[in-house]
Amino acid sequence: MNKELPGALVEEIGGTIGVMEEHVDFLKERFSLITMKEFKENKEHLADKIVCIFNWANKPDVNSELLKALPRLKVIASAGAGVDHLDIKMISSYGVKVANTPHAVTNSTADLAMTLLLVAARNFMEAHQIAVSPNTVRFHANWVGGDITGMTLGIVGMGRIGYKIAQRAKAFEMKILYHNRHRRPEEEKSVGASYCERLDDLLQQSDYVMLVVNLSPETEKLMGKHEFQMMKPSAMLINISRGLVVDQEALVEALETGQIKAAALDVTYPEPLPRDHPLLKMSNVVLAPHMGTATRGALRLMMEEMVQSMMDAVNGLPVSNEVTGF
């Protein structure tokens, strides 16, 4: 007789926010997948079977009502590095652990960070329009973008992803500054970076400012009116962290008034932006749909790390990538 597999709650299978179809077989070999629709329709029968929540694309929504309904829940495995969509303190009060996937996302997110820098710096969006426009008869010999080699990149947040970005920037022969809660001497030496204890010092010197911090009460609206005033008029902002790290009203003003030259954003608040938001209409803004981890390889690694954390919890082992300290 086959042993019953532990139950894992998922939002749905397939669709825009559900478990990826290509991951389903891997998951079903280890867990009995229960969708939110199935759970809501049969709570009494399914509640005791669920020991894990597979939180993909920040779904299912985790609140106290759900946690009260799942008496055997051991762990919530969340895709990606950020966990600002989860109330860790509240979840912990139910004796439930939280795990994320910090290792799986580093390379793909760092790659996208450099992509955004390159696209914004070289004015690629305008260049593409020139190349494909039916009105283009000849290419302008004096049309230019910005330089990258030899320019100064200021990285705000030298964690795993920030360090990977610094490695890539070093290959472009950029000068690297960084601001972080704690100095990182080994990483600093490895990439030839210089530490700025004060954020203002980094902002005043950087040609490109890259935001790579976790969202917390301390980092919410970290970049506001004052910070944009500190930046060079020729500088560009790249944000791959969370939308709320930037005061978007202040950013719009800085872009409209020429306080800064341009912005490249993988994240906004909310996501997506309202279709009439001024950022959508600006020629000096590059926007991406929060796609830092959107590669087949990164998503597979994320899923496998989540499964490992869930299996650890089921087997009574220390949970891989457990999020603590909140």
Side-chain angles (χ1 to χ4, degrees), residues 147-148 150-154 174-175 202-209 231-232 234-238:
D147 289 303
I148 296 153
M151 305 304 280
T152 299
L153 171 64
M174 300 185 80
K175 180 182 177 183
L202 177 145
L203 297 175
Q204 289 170 341
Q205 299 176 65
S206 297
D207 299 301
Y208 304 97
V209 175
M231 291 174 65
K232 299 177 181 180
S234 58
M236 298 185 182
L237 177 76
I238 302 103

Side-chain angles (χ1 to χ4, degrees), residues 84 109-118 120 153-157 161 165 208-216 219-224 228 231 235-249 251 255 260 262-271 273 279 284-293:
D84 48 278
T109 307
D111 288 345
L112 183 75
M114 290 305 294
T115 301
L116 288 172
L117 189 156
L118 294 167
L153 171 64
I155 299 173
V156 183
I161 297 171
I165 293 167
Y208 304 97
V209 175
M210 182 84 70
L211 303 180
V212 205
V213 295
N214 291 322
L215 179 62
S216 68
T219 61
E220 185 170 335
K221 294 191 176 180
L222 178 69
M223 292 295 296
F228 292 123
M231 291 174 65
M236 298 185 182
L237 177 76
I238 302 103
N239 187 12
I240 59 159
S241 56
R242 286 292 186 267
L244 278 170
V245 171
V246 175
D247 181 337
Q248 284 183 171
E249 288 185 11
L251 173 60
L255 290 163
I260 67 171
L265 313 171
D266 185 42
V267 289
T268 58
Y269 184 81
E271 291 176 355
L273 288 170
L279 285 173
N284 56 344
V285 174
V286 176
L287 289 165
H290 201 151
M291 55 183 284
T293 59

Side-chain angles (χ1 to χ4, degrees), residues 50-324:
I50 295 169
V51 292
C52 310
I53 293 177
F54 186 86
N55 191 252
W56 189 260
N58 298 352
K59 295 289 183 179
D61 292 326
V62 177
N63 51 40
S64 57
E65 181 184 357
L66 180 62
L67 294 173
K68 285 174 185 174
L70 300 174
R72 295 186 60 228
L73 184 66
K74 297 177 182 293
V75 67
I76 299 167
S78 178
V83 290
D84 48 278
H85 59 290
L86 297 172
D87 186 337
I88 307 294
K89 188 174 181 182
M90 182 270 290
I91 293 166
S92 297
S93 73
Y94 286 87
V96 176
K97 297 181 185 297
V98 172
N100 62 350
T101 64
H103 306 286
V105 304
T106 51
N107 283 315
S108 61
T109 307
D111 288 345
L112 183 75
M114 290 305 294
T115 301
L116 288 172
L117 189 156
L118 294 167
V119 166
R122 296 302 301 267
N123 206 1
F124 187 82
M125 304 299 284
E126 183 181 336
H128 174 72
Q129 290 305 317
I130 292 169
V132 302
S133 171
N135 299 319
T136 298
V137 177
R138 67 177 62 185
F139 296 148
H140 197 310
N142 297 322
W143 181 91
V144 297
D147 289 303
I148 296 153
T149 299
M151 305 304 280
T152 299
L153 171 64
I155 299 173
V156 183
M158 186 68 94
R160 289 186 185 91
I161 297 171
Y163 177 57
K164 289 286 187 179
I165 293 167
Q167 288 179 320
R168 286 154 174 75
K170 182 184 179 184
F172 279 90
E173 300 177 21
M174 300 185 80
K175 180 182 177 183
I176 303 164
L177 306 178
Y178 77 100
H179 172 74
N180 201 56
R181 283 179 299 178
H182 308 291
R183 193 163 186 168
R184 305 288 299 275
E186 288 185 21
E187 290 83 352
E188 193 176 302
K189 184 178 179 182
S190 172
V191 295
S194 298
Y195 179 61
C196 295
E197 187 174 351
R198 295 174 64 250
L199 177 59
D200 281 5
D201 292 340
L202 177 145
L203 297 175
Q204 289 170 341
Q205 299 176 65
S206 297
D207 299 301
Y208 304 97
V209 175
M210 182 84 70
L211 303 180
V212 205
V213 295
N214 291 322
L215 179 62
S216 68
E218 292 73 34
T219 61
E220 185 170 335
K221 294 191 176 180
L222 178 69
M223 292 295 296
K225 189 167 185 174
H226 167 79
E227 286 71 29
F228 292 123
Q229 289 172 344
M230 290 296 101
M231 291 174 65
K232 299 177 181 180
S234 58
M236 298 185 182
L237 177 76
I238 302 103
N239 187 12
I240 59 159
S241 56
R242 286 292 186 267
L244 278 170
V245 171
V246 175
D247 181 337
Q248 284 183 171
E249 288 185 11
L251 173 60
V252 168
E253 182 182 348
L255 290 163
E256 286 179 337
T257 60
Q259 283 181 350
I260 67 171
K261 185 175 182 179
L265 313 171
D266 185 42
V267 289
T268 58
Y269 184 81
E271 291 176 355
L273 288 170
R275 297 296 87 184
D276 60 349
H277 196 281
L279 285 173
L280 301 181
K281 301 174 178 64
M282 292 184 167
S283 61
N284 56 344
V285 174
V286 176
L287 289 165
H290 201 151
M291 55 183 284
T293 59
T295 72
R296 182 161 273 105
L299 293 177
R300 179 76 186 192
L301 284 173
M302 283 165 58
M303 181 273 293
E304 290 177 357
E305 284 192 11
M306 292 166 73
V307 166
Q308 185 58 58
S309 298
M310 291 159 63
M311 293 300 298
D312 289 342
V314 168
N315 294 322
L317 300 171
V319 173
S320 305
N321 299 320
E322 181 180 356
V323 178
T324 58

